[in-house]
Amino acid sequence: DGMSIQAAIDAAAEGDTIVAGPGTYAESVTIDTPGLTIQGLPGAIVNVAMPAGMATADRTIGFKINANNVEISGMTIAGPLGEYLHYETDFANLGYSYGVYVENNVTGTVLSDNTITDIRTGMDFHPGNTATVTGNDIYNTRGAFLVRSDGVDLSDNTFGAVGNEWDATFLAGTPADYFADPLADPAA
């Protein structure tokens, strides 16, 4: 109905569902209300702006999740780097842009069936996060998934025809036992 996604979120109560209709939303969306569901219909696109500079304060974000039990599905998040390919240009020199950024200690996040492209970081998870992340297509990024928590379940995600510089990166804060080396002998 002509509303921005952010305006709908600001007017929503815990447990509400927001349906984003087809169209391009040139906005950064911040979710502070727990229990919201954002469902994108085909053609619902959030455009992420080019960062103004290289400082983290200049970062641009499609969806910033600050609340527990948020679900986002069916959205396309288009970053500002569409004129570049990750294997020809160092995205680290183009500022910090994120498709989805989940703040520290946010739990119960569900991200499914979204498309994220042409951005520095597809999805960024921090210490204390729990999330179920499935069926997303993320491509032409420096890093599709940056993970700093052992509570993030990644499954059935794809990386498009051009892929990513790194599909999944586990950073400081991810416990060593989060994943296993398939070549290691557990009896050793």
Side-chain angles (χ1 to χ4, degrees):
D1 291 276
M3 290 183 70
S4 75
I5 297 170
Q6 186 66 61
I9 288 170
D10 292 346
E14 185 171 350
D16 282 354
T17 296
I18 295 161
V19 178
T24 301
Y25 301 86
E27 60 185 334
S28 179
V29 179
T30 300
I31 304 168
D32 292 321
T33 304
L36 290 186
T37 297
I38 293 97
Q39 172 64 52
L41 297 178
I45 303 167
V46 169
N47 276 346
V48 178
M50 180 65 93
M54 293 296 297
T56 55
D58 296 325
R59 69 184 172 203
T60 57
I61 301 171
F63 286 92
K64 184 177 182 189
I65 303 173
N66 296 329
N68 294 333
N69 303 312
V70 168
E71 297 185 26
I72 301 173
S73 64
M75 294 298 306
T76 295
I77 302 169
L81 307 178
E83 66 186 88
Y84 307 102
L85 292 172
H86 71 87
Y87 52 83
E88 295 177 350
T89 303
D90 186 355
F91 282 12
N93 294 325
L94 300 173
Y96 294 95
S97 57
Y98 301 84
V100 177
Y101 186 96
V102 185
E103 275 294 346
N104 289 342
N105 301 310
V106 170
T107 62
T109 303
V110 177
L111 303 167
S112 62
D113 303 315
N114 299 291
T115 299
I116 302 175
T117 185
D118 304 327
I119 200 156
R120 180 171 173 166
T121 304
M123 295 182 180
D124 195 355
F125 300 97
H126 293 88
N129 290 157
T130 61
T132 301
V133 183
T134 185
N136 300 285
D137 189 23
I138 303 176
Y139 58 94
N140 201 33
T141 73
R142 179 151 198 232
F145 301 107
L146 297 185
V147 181
R148 297 173 189 84
S149 173
D150 64 350
V152 179
D153 180 14
L154 304 172
S155 65
D156 299 320
N157 298 288
T158 58
F159 303 110
V162 298
N164 302 288
E165 184 172 345
W166 301 309
D167 291 333
T169 304
F170 299 92
L171 300 172
T174 305
D177 63 353
Y178 180 68
F179 51 91
D181 181 347
L183 303 176
D185 180 358

